[in-house]
Amino acid sequence: MKVLILFTYFIILASCTSAQSFQNRAGIIREFLLEVQRAEKATADIIAEFFPVPGQTLQEQERVRILELQLEDLHKRLKDVNIEELTILEYAHMDAENKNILTERPADIYIIEYEGQFFLPVLFNDKKIESVSVMNKGARRWFF
């Protein structure tokens, strides 16, 4: 009996932690999208706030430049979008037929939908956003 109670406790604890993690990440996503939509901050400041701090290597500087271009494009796409109408979904809970992003970390992927359509993928790295862009490769997608 003691084992059953202990097991139930751990299941409840795990599900509460998972729900809290989703709420935290969904809040970060909404805040990020609002910042990009408003464009009151410099793109470099948005990157510094929401993405892991890049180093100074040539490869990392190129990644920042790509992120800047992606955020400029995202700003245009968000121009007429009500952020509150966006739906944030955990990738792990999506229908199997809609799962076409290949990754080793499905628990860190969130899909943003707008009016029932795929709008944006988000890959987390701990408490920061790692990527908001995927490359198509046939019927599959990979985070860029």
Side-chain angles (χ1 to χ4, degrees):
M1 185 65 160
K2 231 186 234 188
V3 173
L4 182 60
I5 292 171
L6 200 57
F7 180 73
T8 305
Y9 170 76
F10 284 119
I11 296 242
I12 292 170
L13 182 63
S15 90
C16 288
T17 303
S18 175
Q20 184 180 17
S21 175
F22 173 76
Q23 292 301 324
N24 290 342
R25 288 180 169 184
I28 291 169
I29 292 169
R30 286 197 192 283
E31 185 180 337
F32 165 71
L33 294 172
L34 284 168
E35 291 290 348
V36 172
Q37 184 182 51
R38 286 186 224 140
E40 294 171 356
K41 287 184 182 177
T43 305
D45 292 336
I46 293 172
I47 291 170
E49 182 177 347
F50 292 98
F51 292 83
V53 177
Q56 296 302 316
T57 68
L58 189 59
Q59 183 180 7
E60 291 168 324
Q61 290 173 0
E62 184 62 27
R63 181 172 187 268
V64 169
R65 180 66 189 134
I66 291 169
L67 275 171
E68 288 172 347
L69 293 171
Q70 291 172 339
L71 295 186
E72 288 172 20
D73 180 61
L74 183 56
H75 172 70
K76 291 175 190 171
R77 291 175 56 206
L78 287 169
K79 185 178 179 183
D80 297 321
V81 172
N82 179 350
I83 302 296
E84 295 304 315
E85 292 179 7
L86 294 173
T87 303
I88 300 172
L89 305 168
E90 290 178 286
Y91 186 74
H93 294 120
M94 292 181 65
D95 296 333
E97 63 201 34
N98 294 322
K99 289 183 179 179
N100 63 357
I101 298 175
L102 296 178
T103 182
E104 296 174 359
R105 300 174 13 223
D108 293 330
I109 299 176
Y110 296 84
I111 302 299
I112 314 309
E113 289 185 348
Y114 183 62
E115 297 179 346
Q117 300 293 319
F118 176 87
F119 186 76
L120 183 75
V122 177
L123 176 64
F124 268 85
N125 181 357
D126 196 23
K127 295 180 182 180
K128 297 273 188 169
I129 296 172
E130 185 173 324
S131 179
V132 292
S133 180
V134 288
M135 296 181 349
N136 289 338
K137 180 82 173 174
R140 301 284 186 199
R141 298 175 185 193
W142 282 274
F143 272 97
F144 181 68

